[in-house]
Amino acid sequence: MSITKESELAGMQKVSEAVAITLREMRRHCIPGMTAKQLDEFGGQILNELGAKSAPCLTYGFPGWTCISVNNEVAHGIPSEAKILNEGDLINIDVSAELDGFWSDNGGSFILGKDLNQHQHLVDTSKRILQKAISNIKGGVRIADIGQLIETEAKKSGYKVIKNLTGHGVGRSLHEEPHEIANYRDRLNFTRFKKNSVVAVETFISTSSTIANTQADGWTLMGDKGGYVAQHEHTIIVTDRMPVILTALNEIWN
């Protein structure tokens, strides 16, 4: 969507604060020994208290309020009772929601407790690349150029990118135009970012894989060559200067 009036800006700010606060509080609440289901129920309660409805539930009938992916899971992990969270796990929480007809999306990977498995560099790289990518987005910039920046920065740090998961437009629904804000230079994508448009920009920085495949459960995505992936995501408004980060309250860069 494009922001054309104050009521639209206020609506996007409200839903974005809801998903950002939920992500932040879920990360703070997470401790070794709890199940992904317990963490998800905590997040669902916050969304409900803020008047927001889970986007994955609403849009796709996803079996959870939020997506919680652990270790080798790339994205769309089911928050089940059987998934126990342990010290040193690489955890990704993705929270998206609808509130009063507006939709917003954000996510972040982090290490639970001590970095027992040396994932911190991957997580930090993903954060840094998202920050650099967003700082280079403004009206008129080619989407493919941001993709090239992301992949180039990943390669400099010894990583790859997942090529079939992308950022996207958001606002009046969960996924809108532009649908393909890729993590690499798509030479066939001539689309440019438009001033006042709302987009969810996300990194998928990978140790080994470049493609994420859906597993037998119909939801969970795993890398084609194994390894680990860190993802970080903000919903932003594109301007002719620095973007407005609507989900800044998630504190994923802290």
Side-chain angles (χ1 to χ4, degrees):
M1 72 174 288
S2 287
I3 301 292
T4 59
K5 48 192 175 184
E6 283 296 321
S7 60
E8 291 173 337
L9 175 59
M12 283 307 304
Q13 287 173 329
K14 190 174 181 182
V15 67
S16 296
E17 286 178 4
V19 297
I21 289 168
T22 302
L23 175 59
R24 183 189 72 202
E25 295 307 311
M26 287 178 72
R27 195 172 61 244
R28 290 176 177 176
H29 184 71
C30 186
I31 58 171
M34 73 168 25
T35 69
K37 178 73 171 175
Q38 289 172 320
L39 181 59
D40 181 61
E41 290 292 342
F42 176 78
Q45 183 180 346
I46 295 174
L47 286 174
N48 185 56
E49 289 171 355
L50 295 172
K53 297 176 183 176
S54 161
C57 286
L58 209 55
T59 308
Y60 304 114
F62 181 74
W65 306 112
T66 67
C67 299
I68 300 177
S69 307
V70 181
N71 292 328
N72 300 107
E73 297 173 343
V74 175
H76 303 167
I78 297 173
S80 70
E81 198 66 52
K83 191 183 289 183
I84 299 171
L85 309 177
N86 296 304
E87 186 95 16
D89 279 349
L90 173 62
I91 298 174
N92 178 269
I93 303 174
D94 195 301
V95 183
S96 54
E98 179 273 339
L99 201 168
D100 296 333
F102 296 95
W103 302 67
S104 189
D105 195 357
N106 70 164
S109 296
F110 63 98
I111 311 302
L112 180 56
K114 297 177 183 176
D115 185 23
L116 302 177
N117 304 302
Q118 286 73 57
H119 294 313
Q120 194 63 55
H121 185 261
L122 174 66
V123 170
D124 291 344
T125 300
S126 175
K127 289 181 185 180
R128 175 179 56 78
I129 293 175
L130 179 63
Q131 199 159 22
K132 187 165 186 177
I134 287 176
S135 70
N136 279 273
I137 292 174
K138 59 184 175 182
V141 170
R142 276 187 62 178
I143 288 175
D145 289 347
I146 297 301
Q148 182 177 29
L149 182 158
I150 292 171
E151 185 173 33
T152 299
E153 290 297 318
K155 286 182 175 178
K156 281 181 187 176
S157 296
Y159 298 116
K160 306 174 187 292
V161 298
I162 299 295
K163 295 193 172 185
N164 64 328
L165 295 176
T166 68
H168 51 89
V170 67
R172 286 296 187 178
S173 62
L174 182 58
H175 290 97
E176 300 179 343
E177 293 287 347
H179 289 294
E180 302 289 329
I181 305 177
N183 279 210
Y184 70 99
R185 183 177 187 82
D186 180 354
R187 297 183 183 280
L188 300 179
N189 187 353
F190 300 102
T191 311
R192 296 176 185 272
F193 288 100
K194 295 179 181 178
K195 183 181 175 182
N196 298 326
S197 65
V198 183
V199 294
V201 183
E202 50 192 319
T203 52
F204 289 96
I205 310 304
S206 169
T207 62
S208 308
S209 297
T210 55
I211 299 294
N213 295 318
T214 305
Q215 302 305 293
D217 62 21
W219 298 105
T220 307
L221 295 170
M222 303 277 280
D224 60 336
K225 296 179 181 176
Y228 299 89
V229 174
Q231 178 259 20
H232 290 87
E233 175 183 23
H234 270 305
T235 290
I236 67 172
I237 302 173
V238 179
T239 74
D240 53 8
R241 295 186 178 86
M242 285 290 289
V244 176
I245 301 175
L246 292 170
T247 48
L249 284 177
N250 65 26
E251 298 180 2
I252 59 172
W253 285 337
N254 289 16

